[in-house]
Amino acid sequence: TSNKKQKKRSTTLFGIRFWDQTDAKLILEFEHPPKSIHKIAFTEEGSVLAVAGDSVSVLNTETAELLCKVATESEILAVNQDGSRIATRAGTGDEGEAKIKFWEGKSGQEILSFDAPHSILWFSFGQGDRYLVGGRHDTRFIWDLSSAPDQPESPLGKRAK
């Protein structure tokens, strides 16, 4: 017989847990995230968390409430300053174009979609949510979201490092 105590396992196979750094106590646990987590993004003040994987879940970090779930797979994700818009990249092929899609942060409704280079590896909202800035290894892209609502200037300020 072994004197080793068995560790109590969480019933949540996949999730996100927040721990207090001073006493290592679990503060908050989300059981809603997708089964495979590729990326997480917070709002500036940390009250909204978006989790991308086989779908995108948008969560309130103060109440642990699931705000919405978007049925789209994405490995690239950004949340605007107040959590009202989520940006995802759809399409991961090695050739051709991908789509950057914008979703309403509370309802999960798609509000905008436009073509983007498939090789974009990251993006984030910038300057009061007016721009979406993205890039890959040696190139940066800046889309002006205040231009035509159905097709932002694409890309504005494309440049190599």
Side-chain angles (χ1 to χ4, degrees):
T1 61
S2 172
N3 289 337
K4 293 181 181 177
K5 293 182 181 178
Q6 288 185 353
K7 291 182 180 180
K8 185 178 177 183
R9 297 189 85 167
S10 172
T11 57
T12 304
L13 293 177
F14 299 96
I16 295 176
R17 295 173 183 90
F18 291 86
W19 302 86
D20 185 304
Q21 290 181 325
T22 57
D23 60 10
K25 288 186 180 177
L26 182 65
I27 300 170
L28 194 58
E29 181 174 9
F30 292 110
E31 297 180 10
H32 300 288
K35 291 181 181 177
S36 60
I37 297 172
H38 299 297
K39 180 90 173 181
I40 65 172
F42 288 92
T43 54
E44 211 170 90
E45 77 286 342
S47 64
V48 175
L49 168 67
V51 181
D54 58 354
S55 63
V56 175
S57 295
V58 181
L59 307 151
N60 181 315
T61 61
E62 295 168 0
T63 65
E65 173 190 5
L66 176 67
L67 299 175
C68 73
K69 191 167 187 171
V70 176
T72 188
E73 187 169 345
S74 181
E75 291 185 5
I76 302 175
L77 173 74
V79 181
N80 73 341
Q81 291 178 357
D82 65 3
S84 63
R85 280 197 291 181
I86 310 299
T88 63
R89 185 198 68 193
T92 58
D94 291 334
E95 296 180 16
E97 294 291 312
K99 293 273 187 197
I100 293 180
K101 295 185 177 190
F102 293 84
W103 311 87
E104 203 283 325
K106 291 190 178 168
S107 70
Q109 293 288 89
E110 184 177 332
I111 54 177
L112 176 65
S113 175
F114 63 86
D115 292 334
H118 72 282
S119 58
I120 293 283
L121 298 174
W122 61 270
F123 50 69
S124 64
F125 287 92
Q127 194 175 8
D129 300 335
R130 178 179 173 184
Y131 298 103
L132 186 72
V133 180
R136 57 180 181 246
H137 305 293
D138 61 352
T139 305
R140 303 296 177 258
F141 300 89
I142 302 170
W143 288 274
D144 185 345
L145 302 176
S146 66
S147 62
D150 61 338
Q151 185 65 42
E153 290 183 28
S154 168
L156 147 58
K158 178 180 173 182
R159 63 173 171 75
K161 266 187 171 177

